Amino acid sequence: MSLKKSTLIIILILLIDQISKIYIKTHFKLQDSVEVFGWFKIFFIENDGMAWGTKISDFTSFISDRAAKVILTLFRVVAIFAIGYWLYNATKNKSPRVLLLAIALIFAGALGNIIDSVFYGVLFDSSRNQVATFLPEAGGYDSLLHGKVVDMLYLPLYNDYLPDWIPFYGGEFFTFFEPVFNVADVAISVGFIMLIIFYKKAFPVNEKKEDTVVN
């Protein structure tokens, strides 16, 4: 797969991701939800941390939440350059298509969430108790690098009380799958899953090297 095709895939995912986020921000208040199916809802939340809402400051008492947010955002920016170089180098070396596709998905997803973290605090006002405005006259809800990632995809595949016969947890209310995510998260997850499932295809062992070791 050429670098041009990889770039087209990245642009397509970014467009879907950002259009969906901008629509949610400008049409939903925080915590608003719409049921699409019983097991699928559009549920608007914002995440200012890492995966599962974790923050760097949760592990270090000497770093404030705002400082931790800047550190996390800058780390993501550095990471995206590293992933971009990985994609460029893999394309140059004519790596397997599955590897190039996986890297492109991870790159697109990471960049999609970085855009939120870097710019959304400036581009939108608050979504709390109101529908946010794009480029508000009074300014955004926060400064550059302090934006929150928009999540909206919620799949409560099971949302009921567990049977009484289940040890320890029987009779308790249980939700599966509970995390709320976005298109960028899906792209990142699919990319990593591809690398795990198709590891041998993505990273083939050089047959000549194998023959040399055997001899």
Side-chain angles (χ1 to χ4, degrees):
M1 187 167 68
S2 66
L3 186 59
K4 182 178 180 180
K5 290 182 178 178
S6 298
T7 302
L8 288 175
I9 291 172
I10 291 169
I11 292 174
L12 177 61
I13 293 172
L14 275 178
L15 284 174
I16 296 172
D17 177 65
Q18 289 301 309
I19 289 172
S20 64
K21 288 174 177 176
I22 293 172
Y23 179 85
I24 292 296
K25 281 289 291 182
T26 55
H27 290 79
F28 284 64
K29 293 181 291 185
L30 204 59
Q31 302 289 325
D32 277 355
S33 66
V34 173
E35 183 174 305
V36 181
F37 303 106
W39 48 270
F40 174 45
K41 298 179 181 179
I42 302 298
F43 180 43
F44 174 34
I45 67 169
E46 290 179 314
N47 175 17
D48 61 354
M50 298 181 286
W52 318 104
T54 306
K55 302 177 183 178
I56 295 177
S57 52
D58 292 339
F59 306 97
T60 53
S61 58
F62 59 89
I63 298 179
S64 67
D65 284 347
R66 290 188 66 79
K69 173 64 177 177
V70 173
I71 293 172
L72 177 60
T73 302
L74 292 176
F75 173 79
R76 285 171 168 168
V77 172
V78 172
I80 199 68
F81 278 103
I83 297 170
Y85 176 76
W86 184 20
L87 177 60
Y88 171 78
N89 195 49
T91 305
K92 184 178 179 181
N93 293 331
K94 297 182 179 179
S95 297
R97 181 186 298 267
V98 65
L99 176 61
L100 298 177
L101 179 57
I103 300 174
L105 289 172
I106 294 170
F107 181 91
L111 184 56
N113 284 335
I114 285 174
I115 292 173
D116 297 29
S117 297
V118 174
F119 300 110
Y120 272 32
V122 177
L123 295 178
F124 298 95
D125 53 11
S126 175
S127 294
R128 192 173 298 277
N129 300 320
Q130 65 176 10
V131 174
T133 302
F134 181 65
L135 296 177
E137 293 183 3
Y141 64 80
D142 214 322
S143 56
L144 203 67
L145 302 179
H146 284 97
K148 298 178 180 180
V149 176
V150 175
D151 294 323
M152 80 293 288
L153 304 177
Y154 181 40
L155 278 72
L157 301 177
Y158 182 90
N159 196 35
D160 205 344
Y161 289 94
L162 294 173
D164 292 332
W165 54 264
I166 296 180
F168 305 111
Y169 299 101
E172 293 187 9
F173 195 83
F174 178 73
T175 300
F176 179 88
F177 178 75
E178 194 166 16
V180 184
F181 52 97
N182 56 44
V183 174
D185 296 331
V186 173
I188 294 171
S189 299
V190 171
F192 276 113
I193 291 172
M194 287 177 63
L195 292 180
I196 294 171
I197 296 177
F198 303 107
Y199 180 83
K200 290 185 178 180
K201 289 184 177 180
F203 304 100
V205 178
N206 192 304
E207 295 182 358
K208 291 183 179 179
K209 289 184 178 180
E210 285 186 334
D211 294 338
T212 301
V213 173
V214 173
N215 294 332

